Amino acid sequence: MESILDQLVAALHKAPLATDVLDQIVFLLQQQTDQSISSFVSSSLPSLLILERWAWELFSQESHGWIHEPSYQQLFRTLAIFNEKLIFNCDDIESETKGSLLFCVTIEQINSIFMHIERSTNDNDPFIAFNRLWFDNQVRFFYDNLEYTSPIIDHIGRYIFDQYIKSKEYKIYLTQLRQPHLSDTIFTTKFLFYISTCSSYCRLYFGHEAKNFYDFADDIQQCFYEDYLEIVRVHSYTVASWSKDLLGCITKIIGVIVGCCWLASEHQTQMKALFPTEKAVRDHFENLLHILPYETLYKQIKRKCSNDETVLVSYILAYFVLIVQMRTMDWLSDLNATLRNTIVSIIDTTINDEVAICCYAVLCEILTDEELKDLKISYNICNYLLQMFEDIWNKTKKYKHIPITTLLKGFQTLSKNDSMQQEAAVSNKIYLLIEMCDEYPIVYDIIWAFSFNKDIQKQLSSNARFISKLTQISGQSENEQMRKAIDGILWNLDINHENRPITDKQNTKVFDIMISYSHKEKVVCKQIYDELIEAGYRVWIDFDQMHGNVMDAMAQAIEQSNTVIICMSEQYRKSNYCRAEAQYAFQRERKIVPILLQKQYKPDGWLLFIIGHYSMLILTTPVRSQEDTVVAHSTAYISSPEISMSSIGSENILEWTQAQVQDWLLGHNLRQLSRLFTDCDGRSIVYLSKYIKNCEFEQVLKLLEADSVRRINESISLIELFCFHSLMHEHKKHLQSMHSSNT
């Protein structure tokens, strides 16, 4: 067979070329199955390379008289199908070998091909159709082989962006695509070349080298964003009626945008440009969420990204991963049920690993620990990823086209879940993470998260060599984040603080309050800090992120504080450092005042365990100059350095006079409320407390705010208000306790 192919390709350059030569080559290529193609390529590589080069030479010639001859047409279609099989069914063939066949074209030939495309006046020119097959196969190859490099990729990509994407023709086609109820007649060969082929090659070009993306970032925004959002919006509700061509066009355009957002994900520059408002993010998220649940779509998912259905689902899921990782959007909780059910349905049917990874990443972001347990998928997720790491650790250091660093970043997020930690403990594969941490420092943070689990603590403690290495590195590493993670691991294993003496909690504290928060909420917490300082409290807060051994500094701050305010958010729960801080405050029996910084966030996992020991009072008010909403939960009041209660005789508030109410308010440093409640006696503030508890707080706050501005020319203080209500609650509990003991 090999010698026959050698003879046939040798005859390709003879003139005139007999059609039976082409027919025999077609027959040989069509004989290759998914199982036989690898051995065929290995044994026939030189001849196949000649054949591929001959095809490109023919495309780049001045004359294309062959274009209407059936034998030539059949050969080019067959060769394109053969190349597609080569891409998706030959895992044992090196990417360099595949690339040598798919990219064996010169820059001069490419320029000639583009010249012919631009001169064509036929919207359904077969020459453009054949070249689309070759360009599309190059894109398919690159999707799974990001590491492959070739100067021809950059040349084609830059040419396509400058001459086609930025052209008026491309803009016209995008405008047509924005219209609902499209006729199949608009999907001409030239239309599909511009919108489908050029868009997908554009994504290849940007992904080939990040510099390409940043060079064109502003142009990308101008060329795509407005039309992209409208195209998805218009067609998201009619997915059941999409034609194959419409599916392909929408898939390729979504791919460009998702690729750009991923490339700029660290700074979210493209996300901010694409979605200037939170409403824009939500609207687009909902539009994509209308596409994803279409069963006929996700049931077409293949093991490899070999069809548009699989690629589209993977793109949408990748976008969802970006969105849920932002988690500053309260509206996301409203869509969690729909999103969860859709993702679970896809997991149940998919055979594509990349789709499954994205599904797991989304679920672990949107579900609480309890919901993960209820779905019984924690075992699947954790073992799926750990097995993957084990398979690739000593191989390519990447999973298909996903670098191992990207996978580890996702696993870092999953490691914060208690249920995931327990599954990791059961897996007995912590040794694998220990092996990986030297090459990938991010693994230290993953191990730190896992080390909150008691079973994993035992596994780590039993590894004397690892502990010795951590102790040696601690304080010496130049990588500050890695050093903090190592100190955190040692802290959790009781190596650095097991002998720390428990101080007498009655001792005088240096600080009245310590504020524990995630540095991503620094602006909001600074406002809380300023208000407390203005009220006369001694407050400890880490604004500049501590250096050195942060665990020791954290412990000292807690030891010296009477009360710890926990500023809760999704970011707080995901922070290993915040978890260590909150747990140590709980262990030291400090008064804990949880404040919720995200209106829709519901504390779960370890955070819920800590604050679950407190009855929660909910107070809400807009934070100044912020879109977020602060919600305060508390039953513990913040002790003032100036409390003096000697002037109050009766413990029954109902019996207090106006003067005694003033003494009580000032004694607890509620200075603003003392001015606001000048005419209130004990019975009045009891009624006010009940009113706050039983009525809509937004209404109460609005009335108090208006009264405060009118009477004392100040906005109502959130801190004083929730402290007042907490004090009233504590006083009521105290009286009930006394009554019970007396009876």
Side-chain angles (χ1 to χ4, degrees), residues 5 14 64 100 115 126 132 150 188 194 258 289 316 322 367-368 377 452 561 566 577 618 649 651 705:
L5 183 62
K14 293 181 180 180
H64 300 129
S100 67
M115 180 188 68
R132 278 194 66 218
S150 169
T188 64
Y194 272 83
V258 172
L289 194 53
I316 293 176
L322 285 175
L367 299 184
T368 66
I377 62 171
F452 286 98
S561 301
I566 293 179
Y577 179 78
I618 302 179
E651 290 186 334
E705 176 72 14

Side-chain angles (χ1 to χ4, degrees), residues 330-383:
D330 292 335
W331 53 262
L332 197 55
S333 62
D334 298 334
L335 303 175
N336 271 6
T338 302
L339 184 57
R340 178 192 63 212
N341 294 338
T342 300
I343 298 295
V344 170
S345 297
I346 294 175
I347 288 176
D348 289 341
T349 59
T350 190
I351 56 175
N352 184 286
D353 289 341
E354 295 160 61
V355 169
I357 289 172
C358 287
C359 285
Y360 288 148
V362 172
L363 283 180
C364 287
E365 290 283 354
I366 68 172
L367 299 184
T368 66
D369 278 349
E370 289 303 316
E371 288 172 328
L372 279 171
K373 291 175 184 175
D374 290 342
L375 284 177
K376 297 180 173 58
I377 62 171
S378 297
Y379 173 82
N380 293 340
I381 299 173
C382 189
N383 283 273

Side-chain angles (χ1 to χ4, degrees), residues 457 460-464 466-472 474 486-500 549 552:
Q457 287 176 7
L460 293 173
S461 297
S462 64
N463 191 325
F466 180 59
I467 299 302
S468 176
K469 182 177 75 172
L470 293 183
T471 305
Q472 183 178 1
S474 177
I486 290 172
D487 289 340
I489 297 169
L490 294 173
W491 175 271
N492 281 353
L493 299 183
D494 285 338
I495 292 176
N496 281 348
H497 72 105
E498 62 180 354
N499 296 319
R500 179 181 294 274
N549 193 318
D552 285 341

Side-chain angles (χ1 to χ4, degrees), residues 510-517 521-544 561 563 565-567 595 597 623-624 630 638 669 717-720 722:
V510 176
F511 302 102
D512 302 302
I513 302 164
M514 172 188 176
I515 299 179
S516 175
Y517 73 106
E521 277 93 29
K522 183 175 181 178
V523 174
V524 177
C525 295
K526 178 65 164 60
Q527 293 182 18
I528 296 173
Y529 170 82
D530 289 342
E531 192 167 333
L532 288 169
I533 290 295
E534 186 178 345
Y537 294 103
R538 299 166 298 170
V539 185
W540 189 97
I541 189 169
D542 168 28
F543 279 136
D544 301 317
S561 301
T563 298
I565 293 179
I566 293 179
C567 297
I595 300 178
L597 299 186
V623 179
R624 293 166 298 183
V630 168
I638 301 175
N669 211 28
S717 166
L718 166 68
I719 299 295
E720 286 202 20
F722 83 69

Side-chain angles (χ1 to χ4, degrees), residues 157-168:
R158 191 175 188 91
Y159 192 102
I160 283 177
F161 191 82
D162 284 335
Q163 301 302 319
Y164 298 120
I165 298 296
K166 295 169 67 174
S167 69
K168 64 179 182 180

Side-chain angles (χ1 to χ4, degrees), residues 631-648:
V631 184
H633 300 254
S634 177
T635 58
Y637 63 83
I638 301 175
S639 301
S640 164
E642 305 177 15
I643 293 178
S644 173
M645 305 294 290
S646 58
S647 62
I648 301 177

Side-chain angles (χ1 to χ4, degrees), residues 560-578:
Q560 294 177 346
S561 301
N562 181 69
T563 298
V564 177
I565 293 179
I566 293 179
C567 297
M568 299 185 300
S569 66
E570 182 67 20
Q571 294 301 328
Y572 189 92
R573 186 191 68 81
K574 291 179 180 178
S575 167
N576 290 334
Y577 179 78
C578 291

Side-chain angles (χ1 to χ4, degrees), residues 17-28:
L17 177 60
T19 57
D20 66 320
V21 171
L22 303 181
D23 294 340
Q24 290 183 60
I25 294 175
V26 167
F27 177 77
L28 286 175

